[in-house]
Amino acid sequence: VKTFARADCLLCAGQRQRSYFYGWLVQAGRIPANEHFIRYIPISLDPKLPARAPLADANDSPLFVSGGGWFPWQNQSKAIFAICREIEARGQGKIRIFGTPHETATISAEEAAIREIYVGVGELSKKASRIQVEGYIGREDLLKVYSSASLAVEAMQYNLERELAFTTRTIEYLWCGLPVLYNNYSEISDHIREYDAGWAIDPSSDAEINRTLEEIFSSPEKLQLKSQNAQRLVQDRFSWDKTIEPLMDFLRHPSKAA
């Protein structure tokens, strides 16, 4: 609140976050005189989009990827395990998982649950070559994997943090031309639906997950179309040459707090 009382300009990655922070501004005695006091600048990437690359082995299609840390508030176990079962049952496709739970001095119940899920996926990978748990790799190498994968999975169970988050990894997936198997309750869900750049599903619904997986495995032409839509979405709304304008406007015409 003290920081907000002194700030000349605030930047927010999401419209929902922007609304959330208005309450803190009121506590700081700052009643915004105009809508640009908190400027919306979403997570953005280079306007030069990565080139898509073919899979080295066609039998790996569809290739699912999951990247990033396994935080206690990011539980996507229902989707991950469903994908693993489907891949094994069909003898087709692959999933590659990058990232691990974070090391912490103390372990909460939620952290213990996430670690247990991660260990469970790791155990599956020891028995099935189509399930790969690979830990962290360098970003450039990760982007190469993304650019030849079929789609990304990020269907995390609901909590308030996930609803307000404007998720960085998602924009990077879309930037690389990866349709995203995503949740149906957050801000990016609306963008994905509008551009048909993936699937915005109820991550707690087994039936919805299974229907979506059936479509993914049986309709490779839809994956291709959604891949193109994913990059078009980033080009239109999440490239930094466009999204930086609200900040540039403030720098050109700064209005300082009293």
Side-chain angles (χ1 to χ4, degrees), residues 14-33:
Q15 297 284 14
R16 294 189 188 184
Q17 291 176 22
R18 191 171 176 271
S19 299
Y20 168 79
F21 280 116
Y22 262 91
W24 295 90
L25 285 167
V26 172
Q27 292 183 60
R30 303 293 293 277
I31 309 299

Side-chain angles (χ1 to χ4, degrees), residues 62-231:
L63 172 55
F64 297 80
V65 292
S66 172
W70 286 54
F71 295 101
W73 55 90
Q74 297 178 352
N75 183 344
Q76 55 180 332
S77 58
K78 191 176 281 284
I80 292 283
F81 284 123
I83 291 165
C84 291
R85 287 193 299 270
E86 198 71 22
I87 286 171
E88 282 302 287
R90 292 174 180 263
Q92 176 189 348
K94 181 183 281 189
I95 182 168
R96 300 182 69 182
I97 297 170
F98 300 90
T100 67
H102 284 210
E103 293 298 324
T104 55
T106 59
I107 301 177
S108 66
E110 293 82 4
E111 285 169 321
I114 288 295
R115 292 185 187 197
E116 185 176 341
I117 293 164
Y118 186 80
V119 169
V121 179
E123 290 300 316
L124 289 177
S125 73
K126 293 175 184 176
K127 303 171 187 175
S129 62
R130 294 182 180 279
I131 302 168
Q132 298 180 353
V133 179
E134 306 185 46
Y136 287 106
I137 63 174
R139 183 171 181 266
E140 292 306 313
D141 291 331
L142 185 62
L143 292 179
K144 289 177 184 176
V145 174
Y146 286 177
S147 295
S148 63
S150 308
L151 71 157
V153 54
E154 196 184 349
M156 297 182 182
Q157 299 298 307
Y158 175 84
N159 59 53
L160 186 57
E161 189 278 336
R162 288 290 86 188
E163 182 179 357
L164 289 175
F166 200 98
T167 45
T168 306
R169 74 183 81 182
T170 317
I171 302 303
E172 192 158 71
Y173 290 148
L174 297 166
W175 183 65
C176 290
L178 287 176
V180 186
L181 181 57
Y182 201 63
N183 66 63
N184 63 349
Y185 55 75
S186 63
E187 189 169 327
I188 295 178
S189 312
D190 297 333
H191 293 287
I192 288 172
R193 274 190 289 261
E194 187 174 341
Y195 274 73
D196 190 25
W199 299 263
I201 67 167
D202 177 355
S204 67
S205 169
D206 290 319
E208 206 163 327
I209 291 170
N210 291 335
R211 279 197 304 271
T212 304
L213 291 180
E214 176 61 34
E215 180 181 319
I216 288 166
F217 277 91
S218 62
S219 304
E221 70 283 355
K222 286 189 178 180
L223 281 174
Q224 178 61 32
L225 178 61
K226 287 175 184 283
S227 171
Q228 295 168 3
N229 291 343
Q231 289 196 312

